[in-house]
Structure formats: C-alpha cells, structure tokens
C-alpha cells in the first residue's frame, strides 16, 4: 500500500511527509519535503541520531544538520530522506558499545569501531532512490553532506550531484573535534 502523504507543521513551516514500508528488509525511510523546488534542488540524506536529536547531546552535529536542512528547505524547497540507521547502520546497542570503548580508551570513534571489529560505515542508501522517485524528485541535486559515500551511493542509483551544499552551522568545540575525527577516520570532506 502506498504511503499517505501528510502535512507536518514545524517551527520551520509546513512540510509534506511520507514513509517507506517498514515491513521490508530495507531500512525504513521518512521523506520530508517542500515544493516548489529549484531546478537543481536541495537534498539531505540523514541518518537517525537518538542522542543528538532527542537527548540533545552536544558532541555531534546531527541535530544541527537536520535543523539547518529543514530551515533551508523551508526557503528554497527540497527534501530530506531520513533513514533509521542509528550508529552508522549498526544499531543503537552497537553504537553505545563503541562510545563506551571510545570513552574508556580515549580514542576516536572510527578507531573504537575498528577495535570492536565493526565495519566503519555499513549504512545502506539503496532506498533513497525509492523515496525520491515517489515524488518525482529531479535527478540532478545539491546534496548537503561531507560524506563521500553518500555522494557515490546517490550517483550509483542514477542521480547527479551537481554541488555539495555547504550549510553554515555554528558548532561547539566538541562538535568541531568530532567532525575532524570523521575527516581523519572516515575520509569525510573538510568543512568549508
């Protein structure tokens, strides 16, 4: 059964929302969007982060990125594909185990994952195309990310990343350190 589309009022304005089928083997998704969008629209592929988004942790930028994405979409149109892939796709329990190891040994996140034998970033992005196709989203996008895996995954399913959208967010020292650790440990792009 196709997902009904609802209107979601937020602090940034009203958005259209639909969800993917959670009964399948692929991670469920939520598509949050606002029309009209530009010829090369804004897009954010966002993985869930309980600690930042719900518990207001100050050592990562997930909540800040999501809020800035919604604010941007409220002005220029576009979409956020929200994926339930906590802990880089490993799940909440493994995320907590990795954070515990990180805090115990004083190592960066990527090193904690390595020491535990976890794949560094097993997230799947195959459902992104399904979500975007449901609203006939243009195939050429401005992608808000510093993660080269997201760029490659989107291009692998037939989309062209014309630009990596740089979102200016104020970050704490904790977040700045974390972002630098993702550059070193995961090969992310530097922030501009």
């Amino acid at each position: 059964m196709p997902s009904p589309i609802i209107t979601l009022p937020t602090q940034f304005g009203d958005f259209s929302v639909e969800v993917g089928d959670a009964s399948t083997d692929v991670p469920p998704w939520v598509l949050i969007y606002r029309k009209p969008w530009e010829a090369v629209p804004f897009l954010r592929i966002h993985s869930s982060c309980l600690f930042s988004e719900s518990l207001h942790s100050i050592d990562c930028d997930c909540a800040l990125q999501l809020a800035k994405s919604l604010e941007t979409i409220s002005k220029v149109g576009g979409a956020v594909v929200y994926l339930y892939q906590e802990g880089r796709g490993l799940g909440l329990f493994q995320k907590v185990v990795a954070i515990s190891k990180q805090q115990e040994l004083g190592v960066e996140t990527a090193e904690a994952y390595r020491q535990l034998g976890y794949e560094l970033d097993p997230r799947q992005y195959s459902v992104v195309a399904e979500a975007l196709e449901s609203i006939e989203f243009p195939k050429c996008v401005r992608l808000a990310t510093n993660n080269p895996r997201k760029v490659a995954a989107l291009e692998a399913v037939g989309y062209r990343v014309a630009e990596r959208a740089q979102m200016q967010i104020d970050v704490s020292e904790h977040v700045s350190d974390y972002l630098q650790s993702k550059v070193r440990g995961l090969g992310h792009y530097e922030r501009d």
Side-chain angles (χ1 to χ4, degrees):
M1 170 171 95
S3 170
I5 298 171
I6 64 167
T7 299
L8 181 69
T10 75
Q11 70 187 54
F12 303 106
D14 293 347
F15 294 92
S16 297
V17 175
E18 66 178 280
V19 298
D21 185 355
S23 68
T24 65
D25 290 339
V26 296
W29 50 265
V30 176
L31 180 63
I32 307 158
Y33 64 97
R34 185 167 175 165
K35 293 180 181 181
W37 43 62
E38 298 171 342
V40 180
F42 178 91
L43 174 64
R44 168 92 179 147
I45 301 169
H46 189 89
S47 295
S48 57
C49 180
L50 173 71
F51 296 148
S52 178
E53 296 165 6
S54 297
L55 302 176
H56 308 287
S57 170
I58 60 167
D59 64 354
C60 83
D61 65 331
C62 294
L64 298 171
Q65 292 285 353
L66 182 58
K68 190 65 172 181
S69 295
L70 294 174
E71 179 185 348
T72 301
I73 291 169
S74 74
K75 295 173 183 167
V76 301
V80 172
V81 181
Y82 188 98
L83 304 170
Y84 287 97
Q85 299 192 110
E86 192 74 40
R88 294 194 186 108
L90 293 169
L92 185 57
F93 183 82
Q94 287 80 3
K95 177 179 181 174
V96 171
V97 170
I99 292 170
S100 173
K101 178 68 94 176
Q102 177 185 359
Q103 291 175 350
E104 173 190 333
L105 300 177
V107 297
E108 292 183 349
T109 306
E111 181 57 27
Y113 275 70
R114 272 190 205 94
Q115 288 191 19
L116 290 165
Y118 297 155
E119 188 176 342
L120 289 184
D121 192 350
R123 287 178 288 186
Q124 299 295 312
Y125 300 109
S126 58
V127 297
V128 172
E130 174 190 335
L132 296 176
E133 286 166 6
S134 75
I135 58 169
E136 299 177 350
F137 203 72
K139 294 281 189 175
C140 184
V141 302
R142 292 174 51 229
L143 184 63
T145 190
N146 286 334
N147 185 342
R149 289 190 72 242
K150 289 181 182 179
V151 174
L154 196 59
E155 290 179 339
V157 293
Y159 286 81
R160 186 169 80 79
V161 177
E163 174 189 347
R164 277 190 320 104
Q166 294 294 312
M167 297 188 299
Q168 298 304 317
I169 57 172
D170 293 327
V171 297
S172 68
E173 183 180 331
H174 291 291
V175 171
S176 182
D177 291 345
Y178 177 64
L179 294 175
Q180 283 304 306
S181 78
K182 290 202 292 189
V183 170
R184 289 187 299 270
L186 298 170
H188 283 206
Y189 301 116
E190 292 270 0
R191 271 182 90 209
D192 291 343

